[in-house]
Amino acid sequence: MASPKSASASLPQSLHSVLLDLLQRPYPHVPNPPNCRKRASVALVLRVRPTFGHRPDPENTVLTLPDDATTEERLDAFFSQPWVEHGDPEVLFIKRASRVGDPWTGHVALPGGKRDPEDADDRDAAIRETSEEVGLDLTTTDYLYVGNLPERVVTTSWGSIPLMVLCPFLFLSTRSDSPTLNLQPTEVASTHWVPLRALLSPSMRTVEHVDMSQRFRNMGGFLIRLALRSVMGFMQFSAIELSPTESLQSNSTPGLIPEHAPTPSLFNRWKAWCLSNQADSNNRNRPLLLWGLTLGILADFLDMLPPHTAVDLWKYPTFTTPDLRLIASLLTYRLRQHNKLQVKSGARPSNTAVDSQTAALPVTEATAIKDDCNEVGIGGLGVGRYYGPSDRSPEGTRYAVGIMLRGYYAKLRTAIYIFVAWRMVLGAAGTIYLWRLLRQKGVIERIFRLLR
């Protein structure tokens, strides 16, 4: 097994190979499904940070090649530089600004947004949104457009209604210095450059706890949400804790000195717990977690890089309530073992694009589908939709986590039904036991006498 040092040293070379493959074999265009017109694009922006002892020539911070050089030639020239060979590849993330009513408020994401009518295509939308949100002009010679990652249909998490098609595009900065960012404070709270080696590290894997009662905020308000939270707890999703090498905080007031937020009172912490575990998204001390839709995009990319363990590090979504967690584990055990065997015998590209609000899944054309491809599960756990062609496999592109989750959501729903029935039986048994106990001690009779 390669040491961490040698694995890190080989990462630029592996990245070079992956980028060449994406350039030469782009993923197919995915058309909009019926009754869905919206499209959105995001930009996965890469750079290579020089390491100590392998600094580039200060006078040659820009890669110069003939105007007619192909993208492949530019990639070869860029990765042949000594400072790149010993450098540290990084990805640019944003933390979204907190906005009332935004289901992704405070989430870690990639720069991007919805496609506008004036955008020429999906890639143009990613370029425009990146310029508006963080001030990067991806059309200059400082950036190479490399290719795209699998496009996917974003659907509602409880239903099968498609919301938009999400299109990820990959760009590489060829400069050795850090680009100047200009953050849009209404859209972006902060930006973070995170090393690929950290994203690939098992030690950075963690979980995100999501408040599933949020979906009932318009169906009874606070009390119903609090009751559901008390009974069902949180839902637990795979996540990566980000460790940035460089961060920039958005500030709309020039000259303002940021102050540390005071420690919230016990009441405010209880209130934040009751409202949502995301309620403290403004807290800068809160760990930066990559999960949900953005993790799904990155998982497709990370699994192409050594040690190719993005799927192995992925964990099944579950619940925090012990008895519900146990029921779900027992009910899905055989299914999980069966699906994992199917993954080991199939292709490795992965997808984990799920969160508490939506499901976003890569899509392929399937000529004979036995499963319900429009099924969507709890908390964004959709099994996917199939639109558009695929040239990645004779049988269509296969996504490992998609295979692992096949049939899992139906089992989870059954687990919840069993859990609710179990809690009702337990509650009824407890009530009967308490009634008999109080009656034996004469408490019930004394209460009746007082009421008379």
Side-chain angles (χ1 to χ4, degrees):
M1 180 180 292
S3 65
K5 184 176 180 180
S6 63
S8 177
S10 65
L11 190 53
Q13 182 180 357
S14 300
L15 177 61
H16 183 198
S17 300
V18 168
L19 296 185
L20 285 176
D21 180 66
L22 290 173
L23 177 66
Q24 296 165 358
R25 298 195 302 158
Y27 281 93
H29 169 75
V30 174
N32 282 68
N35 302 320
C36 176
R37 297 182 179 180
K38 293 182 180 179
R39 301 182 70 86
S41 301
V42 294
L44 199 165
V45 182
L46 294 166
R47 76 172 184 185
V48 178
R49 178 187 290 273
T51 55
F52 184 79
H54 297 91
R55 305 294 302 178
D57 186 348
E59 297 181 357
N60 296 318
T61 60
V62 180
L63 183 66
T64 56
L65 285 173
D67 294 337
D68 59 349
T70 65
T71 303
E72 183 174 348
E73 292 172 339
R74 293 177 185 274
L75 284 173
D76 292 340
F78 175 74
F79 282 98
S80 66
Q81 299 174 99
W83 70 268
V84 176
E85 293 176 347
H86 297 86
D88 208 359
E90 296 180 339
V91 180
L92 177 65
F93 293 100
I94 66 171
K95 181 181 179 182
R96 296 198 176 279
S98 296
R99 295 186 295 182
V100 177
D102 183 0
W104 295 288
T105 183
H107 285 199
V108 172
L110 297 173
K114 294 181 181 178
R115 177 175 170 177
D116 289 344
E118 61 267 21
D119 294 324
D121 52 28
D122 294 320
R123 183 175 66 174
D124 192 49
I127 293 172
R128 176 186 53 78
E129 286 284 347
T130 302
S131 176
E132 293 176 357
E133 291 186 345
V134 299
L136 282 185
D137 186 358
L138 300 177
T139 63
T140 68
T141 55
D142 293 338
Y143 295 90
L144 291 178
Y145 168 66
V146 179
N148 67 331
L149 293 173
E151 300 179 359
R152 57 203 78 203
V153 175
V154 179
T155 72
T156 55
S157 56
W158 282 92
S160 58
I161 302 174
L163 301 177
M164 67 181 71
V165 177
L166 181 62
C167 308
F169 297 94
L170 200 150
F171 299 85
L172 172 68
S173 172
T174 58
R175 297 182 64 94
S176 61
D177 55 348
S178 183
T180 301
L181 302 179
N182 183 23
L183 311 189
Q184 169 55 262
T186 61
E187 299 285 342
V188 180
S190 56
T191 56
H192 307 274
W193 288 102
V194 179
L196 280 180
R197 55 180 168 78
L199 297 174
L200 293 166
S201 173
S203 64
M204 304 305 291
R205 290 284 171 154
T206 182
V207 295
E208 171 69 313
H209 294 123
V210 178
D211 176 17
M212 300 309 298
S213 70
Q214 292 182 72
R215 63 184 65 256
F216 299 101
R217 58 181 176 270
N218 297 324
M219 300 173 59
F222 171 78
L223 292 179
I224 288 184
R225 289 182 58 189
L226 182 58
L228 287 171
R229 172 82 65 77
S230 301
V231 173
M232 296 185 61
F234 292 101
M235 198 161 186
Q236 185 173 291
F237 291 87
S238 289
I240 300 177
E241 183 172 346
L242 302 184
S243 180
T245 59
E246 181 181 332
S247 298
L248 178 64
Q249 303 294 329
S250 180
N251 189 355
S252 57
T253 306
L256 178 66
I257 299 176
E259 299 179 355
H260 288 288
T263 302
S265 65
L266 182 62
F267 173 77
N268 287 333
R269 279 183 284 176
W270 177 83
K271 182 179 179 182
W273 183 89
C274 292
L275 293 176
S276 169
N277 68 316
Q278 299 291 335
D280 62 344
S281 58
N282 283 325
N283 184 3
R284 293 182 180 178
N285 295 323
R286 190 176 189 270
L288 289 170
L289 296 182
L290 175 66
W291 69 288
L293 306 183
T294 307
L295 177 58
I297 296 171
L298 264 294
D300 291 325
F301 178 66
L302 294 176
D303 205 51
M304 303 175 190
L305 296 165
H308 307 290
T309 56
V311 173
D312 297 331
L313 295 175
W314 183 86
K315 303 297 182 183
Y316 275 91
T318 186
F319 301 91
T320 57
T321 303
D323 46 350
L324 177 55
R325 187 187 187 107
L326 177 62
I327 293 171
S329 178
L330 294 175
L331 202 62
T332 62
Y333 176 78
R334 293 186 62 182
L335 177 70
R336 288 184 280 117
Q337 298 303 314
H338 175 265
N339 289 354
K340 285 181 181 179
L341 290 176
Q342 287 189 317
V343 169
K344 290 181 180 180
S345 63
R348 291 302 302 256
S350 65
N351 167 67
T352 55
V354 293
D355 64 19
S356 62
Q357 300 293 333
T358 55
L361 302 163
V363 290
T364 75
E365 181 180 41
T367 55
I369 303 173
K370 297 180 180 179
D371 299 319
D372 180 7
C373 298
N374 292 327
E375 179 187 1
V376 190
I378 301 162
L381 304 176
V383 298
R385 289 170 155 254
Y386 293 79
Y387 298 101
S390 172
D391 58 359
R392 288 276 170 164
S393 167
E395 300 178 354
T397 305
R398 301 179 67 189
Y399 297 91
V401 176
I403 298 173
M404 292 170 68
L405 287 172
R406 187 173 296 160
Y408 184 73
Y409 321 118
K411 295 287 186 181
L412 277 190
R413 285 194 292 272
T414 303
I416 289 181
Y417 298 148
I418 295 174
F419 167 75
V420 172
W422 150 253
R423 282 295 183 95
M424 291 177 65
V425 170
L426 188 65
T431 301
I432 294 173
Y433 173 79
L434 182 61
W435 173 272
R436 290 179 176 176
L437 181 65
L438 295 176
R439 191 171 183 179
Q440 288 177 358
K441 295 185 177 182
V443 176
I444 301 298
E445 287 77 4
R446 287 196 294 270
I447 292 176
F448 282 147
R449 285 197 295 269
L450 289 174
L451 292 175
R452 292 175 183 175

